[in-house]
Amino acid sequence: MLAWPIILSNITVPLLGLVDTAVVGHLPDSRYLAGVTLGATLFSFLYWGFGFLRMGTTGLTSQAVGRESDSEVRNLLGQSLLMAAGIGTLLILFSRPLISLGLWLLDGSEVATELAAEYAHIRILSAPAVLANYAILGWFLGQQNARVTLLILVLTNSVNIALDLLFVVGLGMTSDGVAWATVIADYTALFFGLWLVSRQLKLLEGRFLRERLLKLAAYAELFHVNANLFVRTLGLLFAMAFFTSRGAVQGDTVLAANAVLLQFIMLTSYALDGFAHAAEAIVGRSVGRRRWDEFATTVRTAAWFSLITAGIASLAFALGGHYLIALLTGLPEVRATAGSYLPWMVAMPLIAVWSYLLDGVFIGATAIREMRNSIFIGLAIYLPVWWATQDLGNHGLWLAFLTFSLVRSAVLATYFLHYRRTRWNPMAPSL
């Protein structure tokens, strides 16, 4: 019941990307599509780095729910929203150097970079709204209310799509129209989310406490959780960027083939994240209540759902991978190249499923340091494996990336089994 709204809301994300691409792709000059693609890629990385506002809020809120502390639930929302507003404002203030650096790293053509900069300077205006929406989504998910996630994301993407069509098709705007559509949609979602928050607050006892919201020391736990999540996300971003760059040096065809296959991984993650996010909420509540029987049942059930989903994905890639590749590209050389790496796609869901699931468990239990460690231990194996297998070309790169996922899963599983015997069991001492 918790997972299906999350899975449906995840599906709206690529749908919006498809509409953005289709609208701008029908303009008479391809430079507009290149500019929007560069700009959107920049913001995907930028905002992904601040995803801790969603994850950290979910874990801490779910534990407060388990302790039946309405006041804590209420004040966690206030702290997360103030943090989101502060970070969002800083992003706007430092937008010029950030955008220049980001576009320099993406290394697009001069014309595309110029259009991407115009797009980015508009889009950055929605930073406070985007980050506040992360906090709101995490807060509701921590209270096991996943339908709000679906409502907010469907509203955001519906408004965005409608305004894309109005500004670009109706009013003749170009990439700037796509940027303004996104900004307006993000603030629309924020106002809707705050309205939903105001309704939920009426159901909670307690009140906002000045000392919890305005004293820096009161943010210690939130800072600790979010700092580790931020560092963990930076490591994950590096792993993805390194994979893309090492594919790029092997030529445009390999780069395009890897991009197609990465869409398979993203597709699988939309489903597996649904169960992982559901586990976050219930595990957090169980930890707050110290109900280790409920904790065990949640992990076991989420594991079965996740493993079945991963098995279906692997089977689909094994039997229909070539057809899926054909849906994503019409270029014969890219189809043939991507097809030669399909066996890695068959193996990937069965290996990566455990890292998705255990990320959810550890977020709910706010064991974030362990998640951070799993990424950096994974990187410590990933890079040497890539270096040792360069003679294998792109197969060596995929082997290194699969090894990275395997090590992440193994490290998290080791931590889980250890904590299950010590802190996450009925005999664990009260904190």
Side-chain angles (χ1 to χ4, degrees):
M1 293 299 293
L2 274 174
W4 74 260
I6 299 169
I7 295 170
L8 287 179
S9 62
N10 284 345
I11 291 171
T12 68
V13 176
L15 175 63
L16 174 61
L18 288 173
V19 173
D20 277 351
T21 301
V23 169
V24 184
H26 281 84
L27 291 172
D29 196 322
S30 62
R31 63 192 175 121
Y32 296 115
L33 178 57
V36 169
T37 301
L38 273 181
T41 301
L42 171 63
F43 281 94
S44 293
F45 281 104
L46 180 63
Y47 289 149
W48 193 17
F50 294 102
F52 60 78
L53 285 165
R54 203 281 305 160
M55 293 182 284
T57 305
T58 297
L60 292 172
T61 301
S62 61
Q63 291 186 23
V65 169
R67 294 192 295 269
E68 299 182 0
S69 176
D70 283 3
S71 179
E72 183 73 8
V73 171
R74 179 187 294 270
N75 284 285
L76 277 168
L77 172 68
Q79 289 180 328
S80 296
L81 286 177
L82 287 173
M83 188 179 292
I87 295 172
T89 301
L90 288 174
L91 289 177
I92 292 175
L93 291 175
F94 293 97
S95 60
R96 288 196 174 278
L98 281 173
I99 291 169
S100 297
L101 175 62
L103 293 178
W104 176 75
L105 291 172
L106 289 173
D107 196 23
S109 69
E110 184 177 346
V111 173
T113 299
E114 184 178 337
L115 286 169
E118 178 188 18
Y119 170 94
H121 284 297
I122 298 170
R123 178 99 185 259
I124 195 70
L125 297 175
S126 67
V130 171
L131 301 186
N133 286 332
Y134 285 173
I136 291 170
L137 293 175
W139 188 68
F140 275 110
L141 185 57
Q143 297 173 79
Q144 299 187 37
N145 191 339
R147 295 190 183 190
V148 165
T149 301
L150 179 59
L151 286 174
I152 291 176
L153 288 178
V154 167
L155 174 68
T156 306
N157 295 327
S158 298
V159 171
N160 205 334
I161 289 168
L163 292 178
D164 270 349
L165 296 172
L166 173 62
F167 291 161
V168 179
V169 179
L171 301 180
M173 299 173 74
T174 56
S175 50
D176 59 332
V178 175
W180 280 117
T182 304
V183 170
I184 295 170
D186 287 333
Y187 278 102
T188 301
L190 174 59
F191 293 136
F192 178 61
L194 290 174
W195 176 71
L196 293 173
V197 163
S198 68
R199 295 181 61 192
Q200 182 68 14
L201 288 174
K202 293 176 183 177
L203 305 177
L204 298 176
E205 296 179 357
R207 58 187 177 85
F208 289 111
L209 301 175
R210 182 185 298 270
E211 59 270 20
R212 287 297 308 276
L213 301 180
L214 300 182
K215 289 188 177 180
L216 198 60
Y219 286 75
E221 185 177 22
L222 198 58
F223 279 144
H224 173 72
V225 168
N226 287 343
N228 280 309
L229 281 170
F230 181 63
V231 173
R232 171 254 184 197
T233 303
L234 289 181
L236 193 55
L237 284 171
F238 172 80
M240 298 296 294
F242 182 84
F243 180 87
T244 301
S245 68
R246 293 306 89 196
V249 300
Q250 298 179 66
D252 289 345
T253 300
V254 169
L255 176 62
N258 284 350
V260 168
L261 295 176
L262 283 173
Q263 294 305 309
F264 289 8
I265 295 176
M266 294 300 293
L267 182 65
T268 305
S269 75
Y270 293 140
L272 295 178
D273 273 348
F275 299 115
H277 292 171
E280 290 175 26
I282 306 176
V283 163
R285 184 187 66 183
S286 303
V287 171
R289 292 178 174 178
R290 301 188 61 77
R291 285 285 304 275
W292 304 116
D293 55 337
E294 182 182 89
F295 175 95
T297 300
T298 299
V299 175
R300 185 166 54 248
T301 305
W304 276 113
F305 277 120
S306 298
L307 188 58
I308 291 168
T309 303
I312 292 171
S314 290
L315 187 62
F317 297 154
L319 300 179
H322 290 284
Y323 298 103
L324 291 171
I325 290 170
L327 287 175
L328 294 176
T329 178
L331 300 172
E333 65 275 18
V334 176
R335 286 184 180 183
T337 303
S340 66
Y341 303 115
L342 263 178
W344 299 108
M345 289 302 95
V346 176
M348 185 64 77
L350 298 174
I351 298 297
V353 58
W354 305 110
S355 61
Y356 285 110
L357 170 66
L358 291 172
D359 271 354
V361 173
F362 279 66
I363 288 170
T366 58
I368 310 302
R369 184 187 62 182
E370 292 77 3
M371 292 172 60
R372 178 204 65 195
N373 292 348
S374 74
I375 291 291
F376 287 93
I377 293 171
L379 287 174
I381 305 298
Y382 173 39
L383 298 178
V385 170
W386 165 79
W387 184 83
T389 59
Q390 290 181 75
D391 291 343
L392 298 177
N394 203 46
H395 280 293
L397 183 59
W398 274 107
L399 173 61
F401 194 62
L402 184 73
T403 303
F404 172 67
S405 296
L406 177 63
V407 172
R408 276 187 66 202
S409 296
V411 170
L412 288 172
T414 301
Y415 274 125
F416 176 81
L417 293 174
H418 172 66
Y419 289 157
R420 193 73 184 97
R421 291 192 300 270
T422 54
R423 65 171 74 169
W424 296 340
N425 73 75
M427 303 303 294
S430 299
L431 299 179

